[in-house]
Amino acid sequence: MSDSLDRSTKINLLKEPVVKKLCEVLDKNSNKGWRKLGEIVGTDRRFKISSDDMETCSLQVLQVEGSPSYMLLRLMGERGCTTGHLMDYLQTLGNSEALQCLKPSALQILIQPQSVAVISGHNLRLSCHAVGKSPVQYQWFKSKEEVPNSFSPDLVRSPVHVKDAGFYICRVNCGDTFEFSQWAQVDVLNVAVSHGQSYHSLEGRLKLVIQPQSQELNIGETLQLECGAVGRPIPRYQWHRNGVPIPNATKRKLMIAHVMQEHHGRYRCEISSSTERMWTNEVDVVIAPQIAIQISGAVECSEDDVYAIGGVLGSSEFLLNSLPEQLYATDKVALLIGNLSYKNHPQLKAPMVDVYDLTNLLRQLNFKVVSLLDLTESEMRNAVDEFLLLLHKGVYGLLYYAGHGYENYGNSFMVPVDAPNPYRSANCLCVQSILKLMQEKETGLNVFLLDMCRKRNIHDDSTPNIVLRVTANIVFGYATCQDAEAFELSSSGFTNGVFVKFLKKRLLDDEKITVVLDRVAEDMGQFDATKGKQALEIRSSLSERRSLTDPILPSDSTDHSHSRQWAKAHELPETMCLNFDCGAQIKLGFAAEFSNVLVIYTHIIKKPEDMSFCQAHVTDFSQDLDVDPKEMNRETPEETGIYLLSSSLPQHCLYTRLSSLQKLREELVFTVCLQGTFTAMDEDPVHWTKSISIGKPLIARLDLHRAMRRNSCLQTCMMPHSPSYSPCHSPGPEHRLHLHYGPHQTQDYSRLSPQHHCLDVYERLQGAVGGCGDSYYENLMNHETFRPVTFLLAFKAVFSQVHVPTFGLAGW
């Protein structure tokens, strides 16, 4: 036997007695204990023990049986630390007593049984091998019962049956000493396999053998979805609905008793192991509501005419599956834009987190979501064009924007990342112009959530002339009031802006959208950090009880071709398995952080036995993407900028983050470079390469980089300056204060009270409705005999040299 444990063993696989003894030693030693160990590990970028991690460890002393050392070792284990790494750290620490804890006992289990999923009728083999100072004996158990005649290191069932599924463990005896192996789960799938398919081809890598099936159910029935894969180690399962993980849905079979309308949607399951990940087919689950219909007067009908009937005379009520009286959406579509990496203006943090969180929440509400980061002016206009193509009669459309912005004369402007300094309306997108185009689509609900400043832009004298239709389906949620700023919280990490911090807690509520926003406003009003500085403002013309939770009832007359095109633009490339001439096998996987951000990861599945080192890199990307080589092929997702998706990515890979996919003009072609060194060779590493093409991934398929089309939102978003208009600004002190904090000057943070020093402001752009004569025009707008179009034509005819200001939403 070796005088130490296997150095390649992950420390999270160490036996509990070993870990407990080690923790006791490290906890009691102040000079060479856990804190000093954490400092040593913190210098190793592979495991990245941060100061926040160390604080988490120290807080364990407040627990009844808490151990800082145990928490530290757990964090190290989760990040891939092996026994060899730990022994090296303890050697550096100079703690010989802790090193002694890792010495082997008289009995050591070298090979632990592995959990496995197999098909009924094939062979099952579980292995447990141990060494000791004297001969060892084995006894296998299924749960608490001994397995008859199972005295060898290998437990074999040939053929295996469904009844053999369960949990197995092996007891190993060596003289008076005994050890138990780790538990191994056996899942046996009862499924037919095509003739001639060998068992070995199923047991190695994951193989999907059971796909879920679409279902149509009535409210109150039970939903049962099943999938299954075979392989070793046993697969892990996570069910998703509309792209969002379902809490606690981590078994092969998903069962929801007494389904409700909110369970309607598209379901699929993510199946993964330590080295692989795959998805089942996405299936539709349709929940047909049972609606009460009131019938007055005498009714004559047969038993076949109705599902259930309470009576046929007077007033009768019965249930049947039919068109409900409640409100429906023919579809739900959301465009979420977060601009943070500005070229000529202050950088922001919160929009990335805000867009990510809202994307996941809206998908739970069955919204088709396009989530985009850092768009230029032309990209924003083209994204809006694509968004408008998804809208048709009865659709619920939602636009969320986070970034720099301003408001002039009641019109809100979103600022692209390439906007000049200073910028004007011609460089930005007017929200009211987008609303006008949405109204032409006869949408069922238009929701605008604007997470930006609404200060006046003193550099922009234009007064856009936008005449909106009178419709009872518009809701505006402004993150802040007129002529005020929107805040994001200062933090070393990534946190939400103030608006989304409270919005995400209410967004899933089954309430009228204006009620939801009212509650968000109340919550924000209790937030001390922004009290008196930021308050949610709601403007609405909504007359019906429209809710974001309303179910979808598609219209038969609607052309869904663009929806299908949109769906294709959000499909991930298929995971690839690459075989190299040297015998190495590489997994190439993909994940989407946003609609225009792709994550590529590489993982070594197999390498030749005589190869001592093996690593796979991706390189040679299109110059359209402007990828920084220093942030490619990193050992942790965070090192390459993947902060929000890191927990759902497979471990022990090299990660690369490709942002701004909307700039991609051609198919995405890149090189996978395998680098390896052989034990018998002292020369430089050997390289093998493969060229990979994955087409245009995600949003790149929509070509948002193209020149703006003539019929795009450009026509109504760009308002040229009037050569004859000379705005008159109020000379009062409040306007002088606004001018002092112009659109491109930095505010003096000392003006904030001490408790607000943690706040960062989006950008100080002036935006209150102002200028000469506003109150006069508003009085005209509010007059019951006023007609906007007639008035404007007459006004322009008489006063051709005066540019009429637009009143935005004042006429609602």
Side-chain angles (χ1 to χ4, degrees):
M1 290 178 58
S2 169
D3 61 352
S4 63
L5 294 175
D6 183 0
R7 292 179 60 88
S8 64
T9 302
K10 299 291 176 58
I11 63 173
N12 52 2
L13 296 179
L14 290 174
K15 296 175 185 176
E16 189 64 29
V18 174
V19 175
K20 185 176 180 180
K21 185 177 179 182
L22 181 60
C23 290
E24 289 175 354
V25 173
L26 293 173
D27 283 341
K28 72 180 183 182
N29 196 320
S30 57
N31 296 324
K32 298 179 181 180
W34 69 270
R35 194 176 294 278
K36 189 65 177 178
L37 175 62
E39 293 175 3
I40 295 172
V41 180
T43 62
D44 192 333
R45 295 188 62 186
R46 291 174 296 180
F47 309 119
K48 296 189 69 171
I49 298 298
S50 66
S51 57
D52 289 341
D53 292 331
M54 294 296 289
E55 183 177 352
T56 301
C57 295
S58 65
L59 292 176
Q60 295 302 304
V61 297
L62 302 177
Q63 305 295 326
V64 177
E65 296 183 1
S67 165
S69 300
Y70 185 86
M71 177 58 70
L72 177 61
L73 293 175
R74 195 182 87 178
L75 292 172
M76 292 167 61
E78 290 173 352
R79 295 166 194 183
C81 183
T82 64
T83 303
H85 295 134
L86 178 58
M87 295 177 72
D88 292 341
Y89 296 142
L90 294 175
Q91 190 74 42
T92 304
L93 182 64
N95 193 327
S96 57
E97 185 181 0
L99 266 174
Q100 191 63 36
C101 297
L102 299 178
K103 299 293 183 181
S105 63
L107 176 62
Q108 184 179 358
I109 298 178
L110 301 179
I111 298 178
Q112 296 280 1
Q114 272 192 311
S115 297
V116 63
V118 296
I119 293 177
S120 177
H122 289 277
N123 298 331
L124 167 68
R125 179 185 296 271
L126 297 177
S127 298
C128 176
H129 290 263
V131 293
K133 294 182 179 179
S134 59
V136 298
Q137 294 86 37
Y138 300 88
Q139 174 62 60
W140 287 90
F141 293 79
K142 180 183 178 186
S143 296
K144 297 181 180 180
E145 302 295 327
E146 289 188 359
V147 178
N149 304 316
S150 57
F151 309 123
S152 67
D154 297 318
L155 176 65
V156 177
R157 286 290 177 265
S158 180
V160 66
H161 301 287
V162 174
K163 66 180 182 179
D164 294 318
F167 289 86
Y168 291 81
I169 194 170
C170 185
R171 185 185 64 203
V172 184
N173 290 73
C174 179
D176 296 333
T177 305
F178 69 90
E179 294 281 355
F180 279 98
S181 71
Q182 65 187 23
W183 286 97
Q185 181 184 359
V186 174
D187 190 12
V188 182
L189 282 67
N190 189 16
V191 59
V193 181
S194 58
H195 181 69
Q197 188 171 17
S198 69
Y199 167 75
H200 299 287
S201 67
L202 295 176
E203 187 188 10
R205 295 179 54 207
L206 285 182
K207 183 161 184 70
L208 184 60
V209 295
I210 300 177
Q211 291 277 14
Q213 303 297 317
S214 296
Q215 293 193 33
E216 293 186 8
L217 302 169
N218 294 320
I219 288 178
E221 294 181 343
T222 299
L223 168 63
Q224 295 188 62
L225 294 174
E226 180 182 4
C227 68
V230 293
R232 188 192 299 269
I234 195 168
R236 298 187 298 269
Y237 298 88
Q238 175 60 63
W239 286 93
H240 293 244
R241 183 172 69 87
N242 300 323
V244 179
I246 302 173
N248 303 317
T250 55
K251 297 182 179 180
R252 277 203 310 111
K253 297 180 180 180
L254 173 66
M255 186 169 72
I256 302 176
H258 308 293
V259 293
M260 304 299 290
Q261 190 63 49
E262 57 264 28
H263 296 120
H264 171 99
R266 296 183 64 80
Y267 288 75
R268 64 172 178 167
C269 189
E270 178 186 16
I271 305 175
S272 61
S273 66
S274 57
T275 59
E276 294 183 84
R277 184 178 71 159
M278 62 177 57
W279 293 87
T280 66
N281 295 336
E282 194 169 41
V283 297
D284 290 311
V285 173
V286 178
I287 310 298
Q290 289 186 324
I291 305 301
I293 295 182
Q294 197 77 15
I295 297 180
S296 299
V299 178
E300 183 176 348
C301 58
S302 67
E303 223 175 75
D304 297 331
D305 291 329
V306 293
Y307 170 71
I309 190 165
V312 294
L313 294 176
S315 177
S316 301
E317 182 178 71
F318 64 95
L319 297 176
L320 80 166
N321 294 320
S322 179
L323 289 177
E325 295 178 350
Q326 71 174 93
L327 296 173
Y328 268 73
T330 56
D331 202 355
K332 298 181 187 177
V333 182
L335 172 62
L336 278 56
I337 298 176
N339 285 345
L340 53 153
S341 303
Y342 282 86
K343 298 178 181 178
N344 304 307
H345 308 285
Q347 305 283 296
L348 304 175
K349 274 187 175 182
M352 180 171 70
V353 189
D354 293 343
V355 169
Y356 186 83
D357 287 347
L358 291 183
T359 295
N360 290 331
L361 291 170
L362 289 170
R363 282 178 176 161
Q364 292 185 53
L365 297 172
N366 295 329
F367 272 83
K368 293 184 174 74
V369 182
V370 182
S371 59
L372 301 168
L373 297 184
D374 291 334
L375 300 187
T376 64
E377 179 195 343
S378 62
E379 291 165 355
M380 285 183 73
R381 297 190 190 282
N382 287 331
V384 169
D385 282 347
E386 294 294 336
F387 172 63
L388 293 172
L389 289 173
L390 291 170
L391 304 180
H392 47 81
K393 187 174 182 179
V395 171
Y396 287 11
L398 183 147
L399 173 65
Y400 170 81
Y401 170 75
H404 291 313
Y406 70 96
E407 183 173 306
N408 276 11
Y409 303 106
N411 291 291
S412 305
F413 293 89
M414 304 181 291
V415 181
V417 293
D418 63 341
N421 189 352
Y423 45 72
R424 297 174 174 84
S425 61
N427 314 120
C428 305
L429 272 72
C430 178
V431 176
Q432 282 69 25
S433 299
I434 299 172
L435 172 58
K436 178 179 175 66
L437 294 172
M438 291 175 68
Q439 287 184 319
E440 295 173 0
K441 302 285 186 175
E442 299 183 355
T443 44
L445 175 64
N446 300 310
V447 178
F448 293 84
L449 303 176
L450 302 180
D451 202 350
M452 65 185 200
C453 288
R454 297 175 67 195
K455 302 288 283 184
R456 172 163 169 70
N457 183 0
I458 62 173
H459 300 285
D460 184 11
D461 295 333
S462 65
T463 53
N465 180 17
I466 305 169
V467 180
L468 297 174
R469 294 165 54 189
V470 178
T471 57
N473 62 352
I474 303 171
V475 177
F476 270 83
Y478 294 95
T480 191
C481 293
Q482 220 172 45
D483 201 29
E485 300 152 337
F487 293 86
E488 61 179 17
L489 300 174
S490 180
S491 171
S492 58
F494 288 87
T495 58
N496 293 116
V498 175
F499 179 34
V500 174
K501 171 183 172 69
F502 295 101
L503 175 64
K504 68 181 186 180
K505 299 176 182 178
R506 300 284 189 180
L507 198 63
L508 300 181
D509 291 353
D510 185 17
E511 298 284 355
K512 185 177 179 180
I513 179 60
T514 50
V515 174
V516 171
L517 293 177
D518 277 333
R519 291 176 178 172
V520 174
E522 293 172 3
D523 295 342
M524 288 177 61
Q526 302 301 315
F527 189 44
D528 290 336
T530 53
K531 189 175 292 185
K533 293 179 173 61
Q534 178 176 349
L536 178 65
E537 181 176 329
I538 306 164
R539 296 188 182 182
S540 171
S541 66
L542 192 60
S543 62
E544 299 175 304
R545 191 194 177 279
R546 298 277 178 181
S547 167
L548 298 184
T549 60
D550 288 344
I552 296 174
L553 187 63
S555 171
D556 294 335
S557 60
T558 302
D559 180 10
H560 297 285
S561 58
H562 197 78
S563 293
R564 289 190 291 269
Q565 174 68 14
W566 175 91
K568 289 182 179 179
H570 288 76
E571 289 178 356
L572 282 170
E574 292 289 338
T575 299
M576 301 181 186
C577 185
L578 307 179
N579 296 295
F580 288 82
D581 294 338
C582 62
Q585 193 176 66
I586 307 302
K587 177 190 175 183
L588 184 65
F590 306 92
E593 193 170 28
F594 297 92
S595 300
N596 62 339
V597 179
L598 178 70
V599 176
I600 302 177
Y601 53 90
T602 58
H603 180 77
I604 308 297
I605 298 176
K606 182 178 70 174
K607 67 181 181 69
E609 293 182 359
D610 58 343
M611 185 177 282
S612 57
F613 172 79
C614 185
Q615 203 168 55
H617 298 80
V618 292
T619 184
D620 299 334
F621 288 101
S622 167
Q623 293 184 353
D624 293 339
L625 298 179
D626 191 25
V627 183
D628 185 354
K630 296 179 182 178
E631 296 182 353
M632 295 166 52
N633 303 297
R634 312 304 295 176
E635 292 185 350
T636 65
E638 290 78 10
E639 289 180 272
T640 190
I642 308 166
Y643 297 98
L644 306 175
L645 198 64
S646 58
S647 61
S648 60
L649 292 173
Q651 296 181 346
H652 313 309
C653 301
L654 293 184
Y655 309 91
T656 298
R657 183 179 189 263
L658 303 181
S659 58
S660 300
L661 290 180
Q662 73 277 4
K663 301 183 185 301
L664 193 63
R665 298 177 180 273
E666 305 292 339
E667 291 189 353
L668 183 54
V669 180
F670 57 93
T671 301
V672 177
C673 179
L674 178 68
Q675 181 181 6
T677 55
F678 291 89
T679 307
M681 300 173 62
D682 296 330
E683 301 176 2
D684 293 335
V686 184
H687 297 81
W688 297 265
T689 61
K690 281 184 180 290
S691 181
I692 303 296
S693 175
I694 58 173
K696 287 189 173 182
L698 301 176
I699 205 68
R701 297 193 186 187
L702 298 185
D703 294 328
L704 298 187
H705 58 79
R706 66 186 182 276
M708 289 175 284
R709 299 184 295 218
R710 287 189 176 184
N711 62 345
S712 73
C713 66
L714 172 69
Q715 291 182 344
T716 50
C717 286
M718 279 191 175
M719 274 65 66
H721 304 281
S722 170
S724 59
Y725 176 60
S726 177
C728 59
H729 299 291
S730 168
E734 62 278 3
H735 261 244
R736 288 199 297 272
L737 177 62
H738 292 160
L739 292 173
H740 178 70
Y741 299 113
H744 307 292
Q745 299 180 23
T746 303
Q747 180 171 343
D748 180 4
Y749 276 75
S750 65
R751 293 179 61 85
L752 293 173
S753 58
Q755 67 266 33
H756 300 137
H757 283 182
C758 65
L759 296 171
D760 293 327
V761 184
Y762 274 176
E763 184 174 355
R764 280 58 180 173
L765 298 178
Q766 322 314 335
V769 174
C772 56
D774 282 346
S775 59
Y776 172 71
Y777 297 131
E778 284 193 11
N779 289 335
L780 284 174
M781 284 288 288
N782 291 327
H783 196 278
E784 62 181 1
T785 61
F786 174 73
R787 296 294 183 268
V789 177
T790 306
F791 173 79
L792 288 172
L793 291 175
F795 193 94
K796 288 184 177 179
V798 178
F799 302 102
S800 59
Q801 297 303 309
V802 180
H803 198 95
V804 181
T806 299
F807 313 102
L809 306 177
W812 290 4

